[in-house]
Amino acid sequence: MRADRLVAALLLMQARGRVTAAELAEELEVSVATARRDLEALSTAGIPVYPQAGRGGGWSLLGGARTDLSGLTAHEAQALFLLAGPAAPAAPEVRSALRKLLRALPQTFRADAEAAAGAVVVDPVRWGEPEKERPALVRVLQDAVVRRRKVRLAYEGRSGGGSRGGNGGTQEGRSGNGSSGAAGSRERTERLVEPWGLVAKDEVWYLLAGTERGRRTFRVDRIGGAVVTELEFERPDDFALAREWEEVVAEMERRRSTVSATVLISARFLPVLSHHFGRHCEVVGEEADGRVRVRVAAPMPLTIAEQLAGWGARVEVVEPETVRAELARIGAELVERNRPRDDSGG
């Protein structure tokens, strides 16, 4: 767009002091004639841009005039480039935006901003795993969020219509660890939604949207298709994506911790247990024998028992009896299935 070029030309003159039409054309990847017309347009618009003929001439801002288009402090500029820098190699739009912003910064800020942009590399792929690509639907949904356009979704939800979420909304599909549930239990539906925002959590993307029944949360990997319509919508005046997502997370974590159990474990194994149960692991006391009393939680007694079964005698379940019974049953099954064979193979 021409407006982008005009801003870029102004920032380039501000950064270099003086540019020729040829230099501007090379920088903006346009013809020399187009670059010259852009410079003349700036001058016509009243910006103090004037040409100087002859050797060493070019176009410059009269009297070293400056236009501060950023308004950033030095620390704000560094923070922005630290945050956006890792995304620049993979996103041409980000790289172009950072380049333009860098030209708008005062000279004293630029060196640190450039250093910040290249100070961090984010590699989200685990060792031995193939490179993960962002789902194609994310870009489509992002565009709909920005343009405020309703989207018609083909969605594979769970049978039963989903479970209730915070603020009167529901969670369309289970969250956590990328689990999608059994394919056989899903039903495919079509619905028209207002896309309010997107969230990436633990490599899983979610869409927060408004529907006829209030706010809903959709897993992007369960969206079979999305058609952006020309129907406009307005987000609620008090909507804040971060706050809404915190409510969704709080509700989902509450559902994941409806059953709790008290266990005793050696203090040296506590970090491993905490890693297994995450936020659903709480130290509630210490025993005279040096063990730690811990409360763990999960959706069902069986879930807790399954996570503790591999610990053997290192962990003792104090209560409830439902978890102790499930753990005893799993132990009996393991003994029966893995009973040592005699030499005859019987």
Side-chain angles (χ1 to χ4, degrees):
M1 296 176 62
R2 192 184 189 195
D4 294 337
R5 294 202 316 271
L6 295 178
V7 171
L10 180 60
L11 296 178
L12 189 62
M13 281 187 288
Q14 179 174 292
R16 297 185 182 179
R18 180 178 299 167
V19 296
T20 65
E23 290 171 341
L24 183 62
E26 181 179 0
E27 184 71 25
L28 301 183
E29 298 180 352
V30 296
S31 67
V32 175
T34 297
R36 187 175 291 112
R37 283 196 297 270
D38 288 345
L39 291 166
E40 291 171 350
L42 287 173
S43 180
T44 303
I47 297 174
V49 176
Y50 292 93
Q52 182 176 347
R55 186 182 180 90
W59 292 75
S60 60
L61 289 169
L62 182 64
R66 297 188 62 82
T67 303
D68 185 1
L69 299 179
S70 68
L72 298 174
T73 66
H75 292 301
E76 289 172 341
Q78 291 175 31
L80 179 60
F81 277 75
L82 275 171
L83 181 64
E93 299 90 348
V94 175
R95 186 166 59 249
S96 175
L98 289 181
R99 186 170 61 246
K100 292 177 181 178
L101 179 58
L102 186 65
R103 295 175 188 146
L105 294 175
Q107 184 66 40
T108 54
F109 291 5
R110 291 178 198 156
D112 288 343
E114 284 184 300
V120 177
V121 171
V122 177
D123 185 355
V125 182
R126 296 178 181 177
W127 294 109
E129 291 187 354
E131 183 176 356
K132 293 182 175 64
E133 294 185 1
R134 178 175 295 188
L137 274 176
V138 169
R139 184 175 291 275
V140 175
L141 295 172
Q142 280 180 328
D143 179 67
V145 170
V146 173
R147 295 174 55 220
R148 302 290 196 271
R149 295 294 187 272
K150 294 184 179 181
V151 178
R152 197 171 302 280
L153 300 180
Y155 191 70
E156 294 181 352
R158 291 184 299 171
S159 59
S163 50
R164 298 299 298 175
N167 258 5
T170 67
Q171 176 76 16
E172 301 284 354
R174 187 175 61 198
S175 68
N177 298 330
S179 174
S180 300
S185 64
R186 300 181 194 171
E187 58 178 352
R188 191 181 183 94
T189 60
E190 184 176 291
R191 60 196 77 185
L192 186 66
V193 305
E194 299 175 355
W196 291 349
L198 287 158
V199 176
K201 181 177 178 64
D202 194 22
E203 300 182 354
V204 179
W205 283 86
Y206 298 88
L207 171 69
L208 268 66
T211 72
E212 293 180 350
R213 296 185 296 169
R215 184 193 68 195
R216 294 294 185 271
T217 306
F218 300 90
R219 284 180 56 124
V220 173
D221 58 3
R222 288 185 182 174
I223 298 177
V227 177
V228 180
T229 73
E230 290 304 315
L231 299 175
E232 299 183 4
F233 71 91
E234 291 295 330
R235 289 198 314 190
D237 293 337
D238 60 346
F239 178 83
L241 181 58
R243 185 187 66 243
E244 296 285 331
W245 180 247
E246 286 178 359
E247 293 179 0
V248 172
V249 170
E251 174 63 17
M252 291 307 302
E253 293 293 356
R254 186 191 64 77
R255 294 185 208 164
R256 296 177 63 198
S257 59
T258 53
V259 176
S260 63
T262 302
V263 303
L264 298 177
I265 190 172
S266 172
R268 66 193 181 98
F269 294 125
L270 179 60
V272 183
L273 187 71
S274 298
H275 177 73
H276 282 184
F277 285 90
R279 69 174 66 187
H280 304 301
C281 179
E282 177 188 5
V283 177
V284 294
E286 297 182 359
E287 301 297 304
D289 60 3
R291 291 186 297 175
V292 182
R293 183 175 290 261
V294 182
R295 182 179 294 114
V296 296
M300 301 181 297
L302 175 60
T303 310
I304 297 178
E306 288 175 338
Q307 295 194 56
L308 296 177
W311 287 80
R314 296 187 183 91
V315 66
E316 176 186 349
V317 177
V318 178
E319 53 86 24
E321 285 301 319
T322 51
V323 175
R324 289 174 58 88
E326 290 287 2
L327 198 57
R329 180 186 60 78
I330 292 173
E333 290 179 351
L334 290 172
V335 170
E336 180 64 27
R337 182 60 59 90
N338 298 280
R339 189 183 303 279
R341 298 187 179 95
D342 58 30
D343 293 340
S344 63

